[in-house]
Structure formats: C-alpha cells, structure tokens
Amino acid sequence: MKYQKELVREANERKIVAAAELIFAQYGFKGATTERIAKQAGLPKANVHYYFKTKFDLYRRVLALILEEWMSAATVFDEYDDPRTALETYVRSKMMFSRSRPLASKVWANEILHGAQVLGGFLDTTLKTWLQDRVHVVEGWIAQKKIKAVDPHALFYMIWSTTQHYADFERQLVLLHGGQPFSDREYEQKIEQVVELILGSVGLN
C-alpha cells in the first residue's frame, strides 16, 4: 500500500511540475497561478497545494530540475580528456535539450531577465563554483595545446547563448523558416553546424 501511494505521489508531482513548467514559460512567475497549473495538470487545485505549499515552492522545484539537467550534461568535462569529444557531446546535449524542453529554457530565461530573484544566491555560489571547475578543464587543454587559447568563460557563454537560442527564440526561428518548425532532419543539420562552429572557434576544425 505504501509503495502504491509513493507511485501516485511521484506521478502527481511529475504532472504538476510539467504543467508548471508550461504555465511559468507562458505567463512568468507573477502571471502564473496555481489554478492555471492545476487545470493544465488535470488535478484539483488542492492537490497542487498538497504537494507544493506555495507557488514559490513549485517554481523553485521547476528551476532546480532544469539546473540539474543542464549541470548533468556538463559531466562530460570530467569524463573525457579529449576536448573534441567533451565539447561535441556537451553541445549536442544542450541542443537536444532545447529541442525536447524548450519550455524549460524559457522559464530559465524569464527568471534571468527578471533579475534572477530566485536564482541569485545560487548563481553567485554553487553555479559559479561549478562553472569555474569546467573553466579549469578548458585552461588545462589550452596549457597542453590541445585547443587554441581562448577565454574559457566566453566559450561557455557562447555555447549557452547559441544552444539556448533554439529554445528561447523558437517562435522567431519558425517565422524565419517560413512559418514551419524544423523537421528532425533539419534540426540535426543545425546541430552539426553549431558543433562545427564551436569546435572551429577553439581550433578543432
């Protein structure tokens, strides 16, 4: 019985978080309401408050899960000594995240554009330390002449802005593409081009 209850709880939490991701992406934190989230999840509003006491708690959970996935994608810098493999794998992961989870990227972008009121402390501590660890890896590659000398921070900022553009500016890309989203084949071509450009920027043509 207890195991069954845990399964129900996990299923409901997944529904609520997925619904919240969509509503926060559409309306931002201020415009989102637990009523809208509950309707999107197909659950009573009381259920949302049962699992997440406040809208802020739910928002923080959504952001935490996005960060968890993004940071997980960068474990390749710990796993591979070869910069080509690490960078290509990381860029592909980020591009596929934008493809499969565009709403998550939009939630993140909205949070940053509104002053990172929830993430501010995290950005200045945990994320800063996490980034610095990856910067040290890139600096090591430069010292070993595996890649050309670049500003590691600028490299990561370029990767983030390029890959997340495909999610954050999804509507713009559709309009520029004749009103149609990219097909899977077209998106794979974009991934190949982005990988080639980023590898080329560090001399890995």
Side-chain angles (χ1 to χ4, degrees):
M1 179 63 73
K2 181 180 179 181
Y3 181 66
Q4 183 63 32
K5 288 183 178 179
E6 289 176 353
L7 290 177
V8 171
R9 180 185 183 89
E10 290 174 2
N12 284 341
E13 285 191 359
R14 282 196 298 270
K15 285 183 183 178
I16 293 168
V17 169
E21 185 174 283
L22 185 149
I23 298 301
F24 286 134
Q26 288 184 337
Y27 299 97
F29 177 74
K30 288 186 177 180
T33 64
T34 51
E35 184 174 354
R36 279 176 169 155
I37 293 168
K39 185 176 180 179
Q40 180 65 35
L43 294 169
K45 182 179 175 181
N47 278 38
V48 176
H49 288 295
Y50 175 77
Y51 294 110
F52 300 95
K53 297 301 181 184
T54 66
K55 183 176 73 169
F56 182 80
D57 289 339
L58 179 52
Y59 182 62
R60 188 163 49 190
R61 170 70 71 84
V62 170
L63 289 171
L65 291 173
I66 294 169
L67 280 169
E68 185 179 306
E69 290 194 51
W70 277 354
M71 291 173 71
S72 176
T75 57
V76 292
F77 291 94
D78 305 318
E79 297 169 354
Y80 299 107
D81 292 328
D82 174 43
R84 179 183 295 276
T85 302
L87 286 169
E88 180 173 350
T89 303
Y90 182 55
V91 171
R92 286 184 177 279
S93 295
K94 290 284 290 170
M95 286 290 287
M96 288 311 300
F97 188 90
S98 288
R99 178 71 162 174
S100 62
R101 298 282 303 285
L103 294 175
S105 188
K106 289 181 175 70
V107 172
W108 176 271
N110 283 335
E111 166 67 9
I112 299 302
L113 287 171
H114 287 86
Q117 295 178 4
V118 173
L119 288 172
F122 181 88
L123 292 175
D124 196 42
T125 53
T126 306
L127 188 58
K128 189 174 182 179
T129 300
W130 172 88
L131 174 59
Q132 196 56 43
D133 288 341
R134 275 71 196 171
V135 164
H136 288 326
V137 172
V138 175
E139 289 173 337
W141 293 339
I142 294 170
Q144 297 170 53
K145 301 189 184 303
K146 291 183 175 181
I147 62 173
K148 73 179 187 181
V150 296
D151 177 344
H153 287 90
L155 175 62
F156 280 103
Y157 300 158
M158 180 176 68
I159 292 172
W160 296 347
S161 62
T162 302
T163 57
Q164 288 164 226
H165 179 91
Y166 284 83
D168 301 340
F169 290 87
E170 181 184 24
R171 183 56 184 163
Q172 175 177 280
L173 294 176
V174 168
L175 292 173
L176 293 175
H177 192 55
Q180 297 295 323
F182 295 126
S183 66
D184 289 342
R185 179 174 174 275
E186 289 170 329
Y187 197 79
E188 181 58 36
Q189 291 174 337
K190 295 294 182 289
I191 293 176
E192 294 296 335
Q193 291 165 358
V194 171
V195 167
E196 183 179 347
L197 288 168
I198 289 174
L199 291 181
S201 74
V202 294
L204 295 173
N205 303 85

